[in-house]
Amino acid sequence: MRLHSLTLQAFGPFAGTHTIDFASLTSEGLFLLHGATGAGKSTVFDAICYALYGKTPGDRDQLLRSDHAADHLLTEITLDVTLSGRRLEITRSPRQPRPKARGTGYTWHNAKALMRELKHDDTTGQDRWEAVSKAHDEIGDHLQALLGMSRDQFCQVVLLPQNQFTQFLRAKAPARKDLLSKLFRTSRFTGIDTWLLNRSREAEKDLKAARSDVISLIDRIHQAATGLDHESGAPATDDPQALPDAALTWATSLVQTATAHLETADTQTQAAAADLAVQQAHERTVDLLHRQQSEHRTAADQLAQLEQQAPRQQHITDQLQQARRAAKLAAVLHAAHTADDEHTRAEILERQARDTLRAPHTTASAAELATAEQQTRAQATLVEALLPQEAAMRQMAQDLQQLDTERQALAADQLEAGEWLGKEPGRRAELAARLHAAQRAETDSVHQQTSIEDLQRRLTAAEQRDDRLADVTSREKRWESADKTVGEAAQAYITLRRQRTEGMAAELAEDLAEGTPCPVCGSCLHPAKAAPHPGQPTREDEQKAETRHLKAEKTREDAAAALNEARELLAQARAQAGDTPLDDIQTLLASAQTDLEATLKTASDAGPASMELAALDRDHTAMTDQATTAGEHLAARNTAYDHLTTQLADLQGQLDQARQQAPSITDRLNDLNRTAGQLKTAATAATTTLRLEAERVLRADEAETAAHEQNFPTAHAAEEALLDDAALHTIEEEIKSFSHQRAVHTATLERPVLAQAASQPPADLEDARRLNKTAAQRHTDAVAATTAARTRHDQLTELNTRLTDSTQRLHPLQEAYDTVHHLHEVIHGTSTSNRDRMELEAYVLAARLEQIVDAANTRLRLMSDHRYTLAHSDDRASNGARSGLGLKITDAWTGRDRATDTLSGGESFFASLALALGLADVVTYEAGGRVLDTLFIDEGFGTLDDDTLHQVLDVLDSLRAHDRTVGLISHVPELRRRITSQLHVRKGTDGSTLHPVSHIAE
């Protein structure tokens, strides 16, 4: 990499546009960047890093745009550089506010990037720049491929930060490993370690699962062999080597015993089935006789009950005959009822019609009512002729009201215009002040938004840090709870197992029977069998306790792994967020957001204020016209109002005489028409009532005559005898059902089979059922015993087969686990064969560290006047710590090795510098041998005495022999006297500036 030029515009402390010509600055191979503290010396390297990687060094969010820059000048970096033999120009600008092209205020300018390459045009013979890409990601990938290193590696190799490498010099092996791992990307070796660990755990899990399958099958065989002597010869599960063979021998013996038990049970089942068939046939014979005797007894009882219903049957027969005679009179009786109902309704209608009339018409005859109707209609005709005059009066009243409304509106318009014109000057001054305040707020809001974005990024990092701290606390509690549960489960399992062992004699005694030899002593007599203690645990209880213990241990392992992961995440979050309390950041952010909301609210008023001022001008013209027009129209309306009032008074007097007491002529006409209609209705109702009275008397006489003809004393008696079709049908069905039932029961008693059964002694069905039930129970028990024996035999046979398969899997799984577990321990550094306890990644990094130390010592000897040399140490660390990445200093004056933290400040500086240069050489080689022509060394020279400083500078001068350019960033005065090519960074109240300085000018 060779730098040609760098242009900074509105970047960091530099407010204007500055170009650094590295071609002339690096002509002597060594140049100096110096200036006051805070002037922006390191910003030059920040700009180079931003141009190449789109981000400044480190993890901090640097404010790229200069606070001193003019609004129209955009922040932009342009770097002209040669990478891997290709001349490139990279231009980048971050996202930033810029003034709006139209109007006031600011808008956002999006981040942009452009990469061009200088190529030779064979046609013209000239060099020209050609665009390569404008995409941020594509440019980043292209440059990283050419550089061969990440941004972190570039910052470690091209910019040598002495403070960090002093830490690297004195760091412990774990910290040194973290840095070297990032630079040399050796995480893939950690991946091998992790893969082997996971494979070891999987192999162990498979082995435990296979062994658990065997133990589980043994437990299931114990359960399936209930009723057999399954404890005799049972295998011990605590001996993994002997377990397979012992389990197979024991299981095969149980299968043979179960076969013998099954044959005995089959013989007993066949005998019980024969006895059951005999008892079932006997029950069927007794049941038939019992049913025949019950049927004969039931028929006799039902016939006796029917004879008691004879009076009831005679009564309903007579009622049926009367209803049939009355049905012949139904039409005549219905006509009499209809005539009577119609006459009653007519009387009600006449009474209702007369109630609407006024005296004296309420008692008048039908003829008198008709005459009164004709007279009322004649009066209505006279009143109707006056309706147009009343309509004219209403129109005049409406016109008068319309004139008054217009007069009031015109007066209000005149008053409104006068009041508005009086308030206008104050309103105009208020709007001008609002517009000025809004324009000023637009400018302030841009700076406030930038501050809020920075606070929001800090708040997000702090929230993540606090969340992960809470997560660590929560997972620590879960681990403590799981650890406590493991202890309790282990204690419960041990206690229960001890109790079962103590009561094992009682457990064996449960299977002892008289005449069966004891599995312990062989005696067939058992005079004093051991009894179980209260709460004696079983084998199942012991297995459940063991399962709970294993489950608790698994839970604790998961909790420990989760806790370690949470702690690593917390460390990463703390590194990003720092230690600033979340509440403090939230308070600052809330305050900034409140200020921004107030500012934006004020700024948003610019448009409305401008629009309101324009509207105010328009309203002034409108209100002036409104005041003049309203005065003219108001005078005309007053004259018309007085004339119309006089005409309305004259017409009102004429119509009052015609209305009498009615509110209006229309109301008077409606009242007369309504009265005429009421008189007509009453006359018609009176005439109808007289006619229906005669019809009612005639129909009543006809009904009485017809009732006498059918032998009924009165028409009312005939009407009471009537029945509807449903009642008639019910009586007929009841009579028919009585006759049918009496015939059926009589025929049943005359059947010979039932009569013969009734003559025999009562059948004892309960005794026959009891004998059959007893035989069925014996058969069921025998079948159940056979089924249980067959099930036990089948289960033991299947489990024996599965046990054979499971025991054959144990040996290859054990060999696989032993192999991968041993290999992981060797790689991880925990095996006894790995004497230095060195991990694979540490082993690889140790080789890189040796290369770094060799490269560093070539310069350290010169810097220290051949007194000091660095040495890599792979001695085994104390207290079981990891080994392989130790560093020590060999002092040629004493001939002894020293710890790196015993060096003085100046000694630490040039030792760290030598180590940094050595690291740069090795990382450059690892990056594919790409040449880094330019290096920057940032500060640290103030700790050196004059002689040592000259020795260090001699070493740096030697870098030019390899065609390297070294830039020193320092404010040490001696360097300004020693180095001729300089770049002076000056700071001021309006930003920093860059000034090339020659040796003569200095």
Side-chain angles (χ1 to χ4, degrees):
M1 181 188 73
R2 179 174 295 277
L3 305 177
H4 300 288
S5 66
L6 173 68
T7 300
L8 302 87
Q9 180 173 287
F11 185 80
F14 301 101
T17 302
H18 301 274
T19 299
I20 303 175
D21 184 4
F22 284 106
S24 59
L25 186 64
T26 61
S27 59
E28 297 185 8
L30 193 64
F31 65 92
L32 174 67
L33 273 71
H34 67 90
T37 301
K41 299 186 296 295
S42 298
T43 304
V44 174
F45 183 77
D46 292 344
I48 296 172
C49 187
Y50 178 74
L52 293 174
Y53 292 95
K55 190 173 181 182
T56 56
D59 296 327
R60 58 191 175 94
D61 291 328
Q62 181 177 334
L63 184 62
L64 301 180
R65 179 161 179 79
S66 175
D67 293 332
H68 304 285
D71 291 343
H72 67 278
L73 192 63
L74 293 178
T75 298
E76 188 175 82
I77 297 295
T78 300
L79 177 64
D80 185 359
V81 61
T82 296
L83 298 176
S84 298
R86 296 173 62 181
R87 181 78 174 268
L88 302 173
E89 181 189 75
I90 304 103
T91 302
R92 291 185 189 267
S93 60
R95 186 173 184 265
Q96 56 193 298
R98 63 174 176 81
K100 292 181 178 179
R102 296 181 180 178
T104 60
Y106 290 84
T107 186
W108 283 101
H109 175 80
N110 293 326
K112 293 184 178 180
L114 171 65
M115 185 171 71
R116 301 193 301 169
E117 183 175 359
L118 186 64
K119 293 186 177 181
H120 183 73
D121 190 342
D122 295 334
T123 303
T124 62
Q126 301 294 325
D127 292 337
R128 60 184 178 84
W129 291 100
E130 292 183 0
V132 177
S133 176
K134 293 183 179 180
H136 290 277
D137 295 339
E138 184 178 356
I139 292 174
D141 295 341
H142 197 71
L143 291 176
Q144 185 163 346
L146 294 175
L147 286 166
M149 61 185 75
S150 65
R151 180 174 61 93
D152 292 337
Q153 290 175 313
F154 179 81
C155 294
Q156 292 286 352
V157 174
V158 178
L159 175 66
L160 305 183
Q162 299 308 316
N163 292 336
Q164 295 184 20
F165 266 84
T166 300
Q167 297 174 4
F168 176 73
L169 179 68
R170 298 176 178 177
K172 300 297 183 184
R176 190 173 291 121
K177 174 188 173 185
D178 290 341
L179 176 59
L180 293 175
S181 177
K182 291 178 182 178
L183 292 176
F184 294 105
R185 293 172 291 183
T186 56
S187 58
R188 59 188 182 279
F189 298 105
T190 304
I192 295 174
D193 189 340
T194 303
W195 183 87
L196 287 173
L197 175 61
N198 294 335
R199 189 65 188 89
S200 175
R201 289 176 177 173
E202 291 174 1
E204 184 180 13
K205 181 180 179 181
D206 293 341
L207 179 60
K208 288 183 178 180
R211 191 171 294 151
S212 297
D213 289 344
V214 173
I215 296 174
S216 175
L217 288 171
I218 292 174
D219 292 339
R220 291 183 61 183
I221 291 173
H222 274 291
Q223 296 172 2
T226 303
L228 303 179
D229 186 12
H230 55 84
E231 293 294 342
S232 178
T237 59
D238 54 357
D239 186 359
Q241 301 299 327
L243 178 64
D245 294 337
L248 288 175
T249 302
W250 169 71
T252 302
S253 176
L254 288 177
V255 170
Q256 295 173 353
T257 305
T259 302
H261 279 246
L262 176 60
E263 293 174 352
T264 302
D266 281 338
T267 302
Q268 294 174 351
T269 300
Q270 294 173 2
D275 181 54
L276 176 61
V278 172
Q279 296 301 329
Q280 288 176 341
H282 175 66
E283 181 184 0
R284 287 194 295 271
T285 301
V286 174
D287 180 64
L288 176 61
L289 178 62
H290 178 268
R291 284 189 285 104
Q292 291 173 347
Q293 291 176 345
S294 297
E295 185 178 1
H296 185 276
R297 185 168 55 253
T298 299
D301 294 342
Q302 292 292 334
L303 187 60
Q305 292 178 5
L306 289 175
E307 294 300 330
Q308 295 176 1
Q309 298 179 11
R312 159 75 179 170
Q313 293 297 315
Q314 183 61 42
H315 171 71
I316 63 177
T317 300
D318 296 342
Q319 184 181 8
L320 179 62
Q321 293 175 356
Q322 289 183 358
R324 287 172 176 171
R325 285 188 288 111
K328 299 176 181 179
L329 304 175
V332 177
L333 294 174
H334 177 70
H337 270 293
T338 300
D340 185 66
D341 292 342
E342 290 179 351
H343 176 261
T344 301
R345 285 194 297 273
E347 287 181 331
I348 293 172
L349 293 174
E350 181 185 0
R351 186 166 53 253
Q352 292 175 347
R354 289 180 179 274
D355 288 343
T356 63
L357 302 178
R358 302 188 187 98
H361 301 308
T362 55
T363 57
S365 64
E368 293 172 342
L369 291 173
T371 301
E373 176 201 355
Q374 294 174 358
Q375 294 174 352
T376 303
R377 293 193 183 280
Q379 294 179 9
T381 302
L382 296 176
V383 172
E384 186 176 4
L386 297 176
L387 284 176
Q389 298 296 328
E390 186 178 44
M393 186 187 70
R394 285 197 300 270
Q395 182 61 45
M396 293 173 66
Q398 291 177 359
D399 294 343
L400 190 63
Q401 183 178 6
Q402 177 66 26
L403 284 173
D404 187 59
T405 302
E406 292 176 357
R407 289 167 60 205
Q408 294 177 3
L410 289 170
D413 290 345
Q414 190 177 34
L415 178 61
E416 178 189 8
E419 291 177 349
W420 189 92
L421 291 172
K423 297 178 181 179
E424 179 197 359
R427 177 60 176 165
R428 186 176 297 278
E430 177 188 350
L431 290 176
R434 280 175 50 194
L435 179 59
H436 178 71
Q439 291 173 345
R440 186 175 61 253
E442 285 183 347
T443 303
D444 295 340
S445 65
V446 176
H447 300 288
Q448 292 176 346
Q449 287 174 349
T450 303
S451 300
I452 286 176
E453 290 175 358
D454 181 60
L455 287 172
Q456 286 175 337
R457 286 191 292 268
R458 292 174 58 191
L459 178 62
T460 301
E463 287 176 343
Q464 188 178 32
R465 176 200 64 202
D466 293 351
D467 291 344
R468 290 178 175 175
L469 178 60
D471 187 36
V472 168
T473 303
S474 173
R475 295 191 181 190
E476 284 176 345
K477 292 180 180 179
R478 286 200 292 270
W479 181 88
E480 292 172 357
S481 175
D483 185 62
K484 181 179 178 182
T485 302
V486 169
E488 293 174 352
Q491 184 61 39
Y493 173 55
I494 294 172
T495 302
L496 189 143
R497 185 165 186 172
R498 185 181 64 252
Q499 292 175 352
R500 180 169 178 261
T501 302
E502 293 173 352
M504 187 59 72
E507 188 173 333
L508 292 173
E510 291 181 355
D511 297 331
L512 293 180
E514 292 299 331
T516 302
C518 174
V520 179
C521 64
S523 174
C524 293
L525 300 177
H526 317 294
K529 294 192 293 183
H533 300 296
Q536 172 70 32
T538 64
R539 179 181 182 84
E540 183 179 3
D541 295 335
E542 180 183 352
Q543 291 172 348
K544 290 180 178 179
E546 183 182 11
T547 301
R548 286 193 296 270
H549 179 219
L550 294 175
K551 184 177 180 181
E553 285 184 335
K554 179 63 170 61
T555 302
R556 182 177 63 179
E557 291 176 1
D558 294 343
L563 176 59
N564 291 334
E565 180 182 359
R567 285 173 174 171
E568 291 177 0
L569 293 176
L570 174 60
Q572 296 173 4
R574 278 178 170 166
Q576 295 177 359
D579 297 325
T580 303
L582 180 64
D583 294 340
D584 293 349
I585 301 177
Q586 288 175 336
T587 301
L588 292 175
L589 179 59
S591 176
Q593 288 174 336
T594 301
D595 295 342
L596 178 61
E597 289 175 1
T599 303
L600 291 175
K601 183 177 180 181
T602 303
S604 65
D605 195 35
S610 299
M611 295 174 63
E612 289 180 31
L613 276 172
L616 187 65
D617 294 335
R618 293 192 298 272
D619 291 345
H620 174 80
T621 302
M623 286 299 175
T624 302
D625 295 341
Q626 178 178 322
T628 302
T629 304
E632 296 173 352
H633 290 178
L634 180 60
R637 296 298 190 278
N638 287 336
T639 301
Y641 184 82
D642 295 339
H643 178 71
L644 190 59
T645 301
T646 302
Q647 292 180 343
L648 181 62
D650 295 341
L651 185 59
Q652 182 73 38
Q654 297 176 7
L655 295 179
D656 287 344
Q657 184 178 1
R659 284 197 302 266
Q660 295 185 2
Q661 303 299 324
S664 65
I665 295 296
T666 302
D667 293 334
R668 175 63 177 162
L669 178 61
N670 292 336
D671 182 60
L672 290 173
N673 289 331
R674 182 170 55 254
T675 301
Q678 292 171 348
L679 289 170
K680 181 179 180 181
T681 301
T684 302
T687 301
T688 301
T689 301
L690 292 175
R691 178 176 59 77
L692 292 177
E693 171 64 19
E695 180 72 15
R696 181 183 67 80
V697 173
L698 176 63
R699 296 304 177 193
D701 292 342
E702 291 177 352
E704 289 292 334
T705 302
H708 293 156
E709 293 176 355
Q710 291 295 331
N711 296 324
F712 287 104
T714 64
H716 179 69
E719 187 176 0
E720 288 182 345
L722 282 172
L723 294 175
D724 57 20
D725 292 342
L728 287 173
H729 179 72
T730 300
I731 293 175
E732 290 173 351
E733 288 297 324
E734 182 178 353
I735 294 172
K736 186 185 297 183
S737 175
F738 176 81
S739 301
H740 175 71
Q741 291 180 12
R742 183 166 57 182
V744 170
H745 295 319
T746 301
T748 299
L749 293 176
E750 292 175 354
R751 288 172 58 190
V753 175
L754 297 183
Q756 181 181 2
S759 63
Q760 297 182 15
D764 191 354
L765 183 59
E766 291 300 324
D767 182 66
R769 288 176 176 174
R770 180 181 56 78
L771 294 175
N772 185 31
K773 183 178 180 180
T774 300
Q777 184 61 45
R778 284 196 301 269
H779 179 260
T780 300
D781 294 342
V783 171
T786 302
T787 301
R790 180 172 288 104
T791 300
R792 180 174 58 195
H793 173 268
D794 295 343
Q795 289 179 348
L796 289 175
T797 301
E798 179 189 0
L799 291 173
N800 187 31
T801 302
R802 293 175 59 184
L803 181 63
T804 302
D805 296 339
S806 296
T807 53
Q808 292 175 353
R809 294 177 54 234
L810 282 176
H811 182 67
L813 289 175
Q814 183 69 48
E815 289 182 349
Y817 168 71
D818 291 342
T819 300
V820 72
H821 180 67
H822 174 70
L823 183 56
H824 172 258
E825 287 183 338
V826 172
I827 293 299
H828 194 61
T830 56
S831 173
T832 54
S833 58
N834 190 338
R835 294 174 299 174
D836 293 332
R837 295 180 57 79
M838 187 183 300
E839 296 177 337
L840 177 60
E841 184 181 12
Y843 178 80
V844 175
L845 291 177
R848 295 292 184 270
L849 185 57
E850 288 180 353
Q851 296 173 357
I852 294 170
V853 168
D854 291 342
N857 282 331
T858 59
R859 299 179 178 96
L860 180 58
R861 293 189 185 93
L862 297 175
M863 293 180 187
S864 64
D865 198 16
H866 296 278
R867 178 180 177 182
Y868 294 118
T869 54
L870 287 167
H872 163 243
S873 174
D874 57 2
D875 295 339
R876 181 167 180 176
S878 59
N879 299 323
R882 300 298 184 186
S883 307
L885 297 177
L887 275 180
K888 58 187 178 180
I889 288 287
T890 301
D891 189 345
W893 292 1
T894 62
R896 294 185 179 182
D897 294 335
R898 292 170 54 181
T900 55
D901 56 4
T902 62
L903 296 174
S904 65
E907 292 171 339
S908 296
F909 168 71
F910 63 68
S912 299
L913 177 57
L915 192 60
L917 294 173
L919 178 63
D921 292 340
V922 176
V923 171
T924 300
Y925 175 77
E926 285 292 320
R930 293 174 175 84
V931 178
L932 300 177
D933 300 308
T934 305
L935 299 177
F936 289 85
I937 302 175
D938 191 1
E939 293 297 349
F941 296 93
T943 59
L944 304 178
D945 58 75
D946 292 342
D947 293 336
T948 305
L949 177 59
H950 286 293
Q951 292 173 351
V952 171
L953 291 176
D954 289 340
V955 172
L956 295 178
D957 281 336
S958 67
L959 295 176
R960 291 183 290 179
H962 300 284
D963 199 19
R964 282 189 179 181
T965 297
V966 180
L968 305 183
I969 303 175
S970 178
H971 56 270
V972 176
E974 177 62 25
L975 293 177
R976 295 203 296 271
R977 291 189 293 270
R978 174 75 179 266
I979 301 174
T980 58
S981 296
Q982 300 177 15
L983 186 64
H984 187 195
V985 184
R986 297 176 184 173
K987 65 179 180 180
T989 57
D990 55 352
S992 298
T993 56
L994 291 170
H995 301 276
V997 178
S998 65
H999 182 63
I1000 297 176
E1002 181 65 18

